[in-house]
Amino acid sequence: MRIVSHFSAEGLSNVYLISDDNRNGIIVDPAHIDKELMELIAYTCNDIIAVLITHKHQSHTAGLGTLMKIYTPVIYAYESNVNGFNTVLFHDGETKRIGTLSVKALHVPGHSLDSLAYLIDAALFTGDTLYSGSVASTDSFVERALLMRSLEKKIMTLPPSTLLYPGHGTLSKLGIEQMLNQDLLQFESETGTGSFPI
């Protein structure tokens, strides 16, 4: 598996291009499809067979229409429709075979109700749930609590060596976030849950 990160100036978002052993391409969050990304696709993949949507916010899906005019991938998401396109639903904890890769979805609501993180081997695509140094914004205290509990139960239990590919910002490792992420440490302190496993 090969992962290429592409920064989209529109929405200041990360787009990820994954290619499997047969050069099948998977796009995670098509924020914007520009010439540079198209060149990366041509160089890295034979075709785009799938799109993984972490959540429906436009800063992560605005390029979907352009992508669908060029390729015919299957769109995977938590909800049945994204930007007018039908999707294949991914349920919490479900694993699907896409190309030669095994993709597991983890439902992590809080920032949005449809937020999914995707685990492929040791790579976790977190969308807007967990960033390097912080967690996603929420609209209320209740949603914040929901997000933090979801992270605690579904993400923090993964191996510390898990590589994090967030929707915004720099890449990280789960073990680093467990030790240094101020939002996680504050939650840990407030709830008295003790240290996250490292």
Side-chain angles (χ1 to χ4, degrees), residues 148-157 187 193 196:
M148 298 308 290
R149 288 296 181 192
S150 298
L151 289 171
E152 178 186 31
K153 292 178 181 178
K154 298 176 184 179
I155 305 300
M156 293 303 130
T157 54
F187 172 75
T193 56
F196 290 115

Side-chain angles (χ1 to χ4, degrees), residues 88-126:
V88 172
L89 297 182
F90 236 135
H91 301 290
D92 183 32
E94 184 178 9
T95 299
K96 294 182 187 291
R97 194 77 176 173
I98 302 176
T100 64
L101 300 175
S102 181
V103 181
K104 182 176 183 178
L106 300 170
H107 185 216
V108 190
H111 175 70
S112 66
L113 290 177
D114 67 323
S115 287
L116 289 176
Y118 295 99
L119 182 64
I120 308 175
D121 293 336
L124 183 67
F125 299 87
T126 59

Side-chain angles (χ1 to χ4, degrees), residues 117-183:
Y118 295 99
L119 182 64
I120 308 175
D121 293 336
L124 183 67
F125 299 87
T126 59
D128 280 358
T129 59
L130 179 62
Y131 309 125
S132 175
S134 65
V135 302
S137 62
T138 55
D139 291 332
S140 71
F141 174 80
V142 172
E143 290 172 340
R144 177 79 168 181
L146 178 61
L147 173 61
M148 298 308 290
R149 288 296 181 192
S150 298
L151 289 171
E152 178 186 31
K153 292 178 181 178
K154 298 176 184 179
I155 305 300
M156 293 303 130
T157 54
L158 297 173
S161 58
T162 302
L163 297 171
L164 301 182
Y165 294 83
H168 304 277
T170 60
L171 309 185
S172 186
K173 264 190 178 177
L174 187 57
I176 293 172
E177 297 310 307
Q178 289 167 332
M179 289 187 293
L180 301 176
N181 187 300
Q182 291 303 303
D183 289 334

Side-chain angles (χ1 to χ4, degrees), residues 60-82:
H60 298 276
T61 63
L64 188 58
T66 301
L67 191 69
M68 297 301 288
K69 290 177 182 176
I70 304 168
Y71 301 98
T72 56
V74 177
I75 304 168
Y76 296 89
Y78 186 75
E79 295 187 354
S80 61
N81 190 286
V82 176

